Amino acid sequence: MPTYTAPTRDTRFVVNEVLDLPSYGNLPGFESATPDMIDTVINEAGKFCAEVLAPLNQIGDQEGCTRHADGSVTTPTGFKQAYEQYRESGWGTLAHPEAHGGQGMPHVLGFVVEEFMATSNQAFAMYPGLTNGAISAIVAAGSDKQKETYVPKMVSGEWLGTMNLTEPHCGTDLGLIRTKAEPQADGSYAITGTKIFISSGEHDLTDNIIHLVLAKTPGAPDSSKGISLFIVPKVLVNEDGSLGEKNTLACGSIEHKMGIHGNSTCVMNYDGATGYMVGEENRGLAAMFIMMNAARLGVGIQGLGQAEVSYQNAVNYALDRRQGRALTGPAEPEAKADPIFVHPDVRRMLMDGKAFSEGMRALALWGALQVDLTHKAQTEEERERADMLISLMTPVIKGYGTDKGYAIATDMQQVYGGHGYIQEWGMDQFVRDARIAMIYEGTNGVQAMDLCGRKLARDGGKAIQAFFELVGDEVAAVKGTDLEDIGTALEKALGQQQQATMWFMQNAMQNPNQLGAGAHHYMTMMGIVTIGLMWLKMARVAAEALKGEPEDKAFYEAKLVTARYYADRFLPDCGALRRKIEAGSENLMTLGEEAFATAA
Amino acid sequence: MPTYTAPTRDTRFVVNEVLDLPSYGNLPGFESATPDMIDTVINEAGKFCAEVLAPLNQIGDQEGCTRHADGSVTTPTGFKQAYEQYRESGWGTLAHPEAHGGQGMPHVLGFVVEEFMATSNQAFAMYPGLTNGAISAIVAAGSDKQKETYVPKMVSGEWLGTMNLTEPHCGTDLGLIRTKAEPQADGSYAITGTKIFISSGEHDLTDNIIHLVLAKTPGAPDSSKGISLFIVPKVLVNEDGSLGEKNTLACGSIEHKMGIHGNSTCVMNYDGATGYMVGEENRGLAAMFIMMNAARLGVGIQGLGQAEVSYQNAVNYALDRRQGRALTGPAEPEAKADPIFVHPDVRRMLMDGKAFSEGMRALALWGALQVDLTHKAQTEEERERADMLISLMTPVIKGYGTDKGYAIATDMQQVYGGHGYIQEWGMDQFVRDARIAMIYEGTNGVQAMDLCGRKLARDGGKAIQAFFELVGDEVAAVKGTDLEDIGTALEKALGQQQQATMWFMQNAMQNPNQLGAGAHHYMTMMGIVTIGLMWLKMARVAAEALKGEPEDKAFYEAKLVTARYYADRFLPDCGALRRKIEAGSENLMTLGEEAFATAA
């Protein structure tokens, strides 16, 4: 059975040393994130996830969720009790504002908890995870009454929430949705339609589930400009906040999925269900994007999570399993064979896992800090800059983080050889669970177009210029130091990205397909450069720490080796990606559909 | 439900036009492969696989195999009837020598059938597929009596065969096996031990199953030099060839796997079972490699198969599913949305699928021709050259073919968006089935070491030099023609491979880890170059055909576009791979195991 240990040492390194969270003590909410509190959160959340959630992960996969004849759904054995523990511990309230019953702590710490949860049990983590998206939308666009009625109970975890976007015939193109919202005399709406792929759509964890549903009012424009957002509770809420009648909505079935079996992914049928409009009519898409952006960062963290947990297990297996001898001669001559850890190709896969997971963790938590600064930085300029950076980076964290997370999970499964294919060992679940993250909350192709089609050009390219400066400054800072080799490698990769950006500017105006044809390559390249930036940051911090003869010298030395490994083995892809982008759309778009048909 | 159409047009193109099979009519067996016969085989085998095997693929995944209390195993609904049809049609006997009851046709045609079978139903194809490996070993190393007793019935498909190598504690390192073979008074051996991951280990398709089992005789050297190979039939065979007593062996359980559920992957328990030594004592590894090499080519074809079938379905979905509008303006303004086929990122994935599948098909069938020439070419020199080339290429076909096959299947699943994750659509099965091919018959890391550690250096690098010449000649042939651009791109990629080869020569002698650290990258690079060679060959044939105003002009024009797409989007990776190889083993091997432990 697979195991999980929360990487608390590495997390403390990123939070305290790389991001230097304690230095932000002057910002609201950060003052309570004292070094002691940071340690406590990291350690206790790590313990909860490792001890309570991780042991339920394989059970969730094997049992899945069960829908009963009355439409009710039972989650896998142990999920309900674990959820109660989760609620009692207050992990879910950590980063929510105190005004909504939260603890008002930095999002950086919220993301730490989110990572540990997504890593130890992705399917479980989705129940509260999506609720956060729903809360964001109500907070941003809802009325005071709505905030008061729903938000505190969702923050406390008494109720959970969902996001209902997709319909059988539309996912990406939400302008096509058919779910109807008929205005009622009392100001509410009667919601009718079918939604699919609804994560946590029905379950036994809470007494109520607050569905956020996209629907169209009568006569609304027949496009994405005609979508409104509604709160549709599973159980209607009385004036005094108590639960009233059951609403006319139900889980029609549970989808049979490749993975995340522990999460109840439902077909939801709304049959004139009572709903309440959130924000303005026909402005649902904007509110939806608020949910979506929060959710996308969470999905990027899932990519990290499955890479991390599969890496941890692959390391254990590689140290335990003995096959063959080291190429340089027996490492353990007294044994019949050496651990496979000695084989360079096994080590290559493990180093890839280590370099990605540690680098991605730094990126995710750096991203969380930008979210905090967006709301809490002292000057408007700082707030805008943080917002600009996290907007730019969200599709990269989601898209590259999950593409690579899946690739790493696949490699970690490979370390197991034949045993990796056998379900008891648990590696195949990590791969199957990781697979969804490339798809939901906008496929990675959609992320790539969000990055290249929207974010790059916004405000005359201000955000991407700021990113280039960020990398350039970090490179400049190591010139003439022992880390210059890493800086030079990153500078070269950055140069490739800058060239590709220029190529888009010169070619995409006449023909937008030139952009579309290279968008996914560009997102990958930017992911590689961004994590390269994180490695250079980490290397600087480690080199600095090593000057002081620290107690865990080996930890910092390993950071330097891994940073160089990253420069050796990840950064070179940027050159190839630039060439692919510059190949343009011609040979990609030329063939008509008949050329794709299989001819007899 | 997914569909499958055998790509008969493309197969005829490769067999007749690219390989020019009819021109080998002077070789034994090839004379019966007349153009008419080639057409008949391709069309009828395609029909059988599309109509009989493909519809059972999803059923096999859902039902799996069932082991009963008495140890017997039932295959999924329909498999037994399909197997009977397969036997009656004689597809299995096609490329076996007439002396063994086969039809003596070229392996090229045998591989065509193997591709269609592996593509339409990989789990089913494995039952006869592994039998071919077992036959090869008996033919190569068995006694006349053994050949007479077992081979004709295995060729005819009356009995099926298996390969029993792996034990719970050893797979790659077969020197560690513990299964014992005690000599008996009658010259047979009593085989005792447990074997795992035995594909088709027990089933209801045939009355007898001929297990080929690796075991150690008493006092055998404690290494891979102490392994012998045994025939251990499920049911003992009487002198007259009739079935006698049941042997003392049994399927202990069926493994729970990520995929290929339709194949009965068994734990096999041998309890003093009667076995007959094949070839010489302690020479089992050599005989095993005969099985293995045949099997490895078959596994490479599985990589092609899952790429092809997932590609076909992704094309259908992309033409059917409507979301959003083309970047250049509505393609079908009268409809509410355009088919997702118009989106460049969807097209990128489809073109990747097309470029890989068609290129890999050419490579697999070119490989099959080398197998034929190894046995049948007129001069010793030609036979040796073919043998040298296919030995060099086997790990590339297996390793790169399956790595990329899995990546393509994953991309084709991505085309489906959320529906790709739902089992009913069948795309997740293609990914799960494709996953095993990177692992079995030697993990792809083992393939990479076979290529770089054994094959590159053999005979002073004669084989790789021959490969470089092969590519160089093809590049030279297009100089000054309309195809020069493709040739130049291939030449550049070849240059990267040559540099990497040189780097290995200069660095691996002092430190073999330098080789191990780059082996997987090298295998990938060589796969890319090799399929690039196939695309240049195909482009030449297509350009030639277009001079004659052929009827299906569009088919040949598509070949030219796809060859250029391949040059645009696949070949550039070679530069990055060379840089990774040249980064060497230092940063990869430096960290000790403590650096990989997750620290609290």
Side-chain angles (χ1 to χ4, degrees), chain A residues 162-326:
Chain A
T162 72
M163 290 162 54
N164 288 238
L165 283 56
T166 306
E167 299 184 6
H169 64 291
C170 74
T172 301
D173 189 352
L174 291 168
L176 302 174
I177 66 168
R178 292 178 191 150
T179 296
K180 284 181 202 153
E182 294 277 350
Q184 305 296 297
D186 65 355
S188 72
Y189 288 78
I191 311 290
T192 303
T194 298
K195 296 285 182 177
I196 62 169
F197 305 160
I198 307 309
S199 300
S200 322
E202 176 62 72
H203 54 72
D204 55 359
L205 301 183
T206 52
D207 296 335
N208 204 2
I209 302 173
I210 309 306
H211 300 290
L212 286 178
V213 181
L214 292 183
K216 287 187 167 177
T217 52
D222 193 12
S223 74
S224 63
K225 290 182 182 120
I227 303 173
S228 303
L229 180 67
F230 299 86
I231 292 172
V232 190
K234 173 180 165 182
V235 184
L236 297 171
V237 180
N238 297 324
E239 276 299 315
D240 64 356
S242 64
L243 293 181
E245 272 181 60
K246 207 188 155 323
N247 208 343
T248 51
L249 61 92
C251 160
S253 62
I254 296 181
E255 309 275 10
H256 300 105
K257 307 183 299 288
M258 184 182 190
I260 49 164
H261 296 159
N263 193 274
S264 56
T265 308
C266 297
V267 173
M268 295 299 297
N269 297 319
Y270 293 88
D271 187 13
T274 301
Y276 312 100
M277 190 180 281
V278 180
E280 290 173 49
E281 190 167 358
N282 298 336
R283 297 280 299 153
L285 207 65
M288 189 275 291
F289 266 110
I290 293 165
M291 295 198 276
M292 203 57 134
N293 278 323
R296 284 176 176 177
L297 291 171
V299 174
I301 291 176
Q302 292 174 353
L304 161 60
Q306 297 311 304
E308 167 72 28
V309 69
S310 59
Y311 162 72
Q312 288 189 12
N313 283 281
V315 167
N316 293 342
Y317 188 81
L319 291 170
D320 185 58
R321 175 81 171 176
R322 290 170 182 274
Q323 296 289 280
R325 290 298 189 184

Side-chain angles (χ1 to χ4, degrees), chain B residues 481-493:
Chain B
T481 74
D482 286 353
L483 304 177
E484 183 163 352
D485 58 328
I486 308 176
T488 304
L490 181 59
E491 191 172 26
K492 201 169 162 184

Side-chain angles (χ1 to χ4, degrees), chain B residues 408-431:
Chain B
I408 294 289
T410 298
D411 270 355
M412 297 306 102
Q413 181 188 24
Q414 188 74 10
V415 170
Y416 278 69
H419 297 282
Y421 202 66
I422 305 297
Q423 303 201 307
E424 282 80 347
W425 290 84
M427 298 304 282
D428 94 297
Q429 184 189 352
F430 299 143
V431 173

